[in-house]
Amino acid sequence: AAVPPPPAPSRASGDMPTIDEQAKVEFHTIAREWRCKWAADAGKIALTKAQEVLDKHLDQLKAIHGCSGVQRIVCGGCLDFKVIVSINASVFAEWEGKQF
């Protein structure tokens, strides 16, 4: 007879939540990513402005309850400007409830 898989960890017990049906892929961080495109024309002013907006809000992002990091990624090839905010999974729903 097949042995049933172990029960999935629960948040209530302090275990990390899982994302797969076999309860083998655990995680403790959930990230929210904002992605913008910028144009290389006009001295890349759109890129400069995107950075200015991030600079204006960076301290607020870092102060989010459960925040473990804020990353900015810029790709000069595909012209992406990305901001990734990583939050502890146990408190992510609180931030999500505020509609980011």
Side-chain angles (χ1 to χ4, degrees):
V3 178
S10 71
R11 292 176 196 220
S13 69
D15 294 331
M16 287 191 287
T18 60
I19 197 166
D20 64 323
E21 291 182 14
Q22 291 76 30
K24 294 184 180 194
V25 181
E26 298 177 333
F27 63 96
H28 59 78
T29 300
I30 300 175
R32 175 74 177 174
E33 177 182 296
W34 291 282
R35 185 180 313 161
C36 307
K37 292 289 188 182
W38 53 275
D41 60 342
K44 301 180 184 176
I45 191 67
L47 179 59
T48 301
K49 294 295 184 183
Q51 183 63 49
E52 288 174 357
V53 170
L54 176 58
D55 290 344
K56 179 180 176 183
H57 297 283
L58 187 57
D59 288 339
Q60 289 173 296
L61 292 171
K62 289 180 176 181
I64 294 168
H65 179 238
C67 178
S68 60
V70 178
Q71 293 177 288
R72 188 228 46 218
I73 300 169
V74 176
C75 178
C78 64
L79 307 180
D80 273 347
F81 182 94
K82 302 176 188 180
V83 177
I84 302 168
V85 180
S86 300
I87 304 291
N88 185 298
S90 67
V91 296
F92 183 81
E94 174 187 323
W95 187 43
E96 184 179 36
K98 295 176 182 175
Q99 299 180 344
F100 309 106

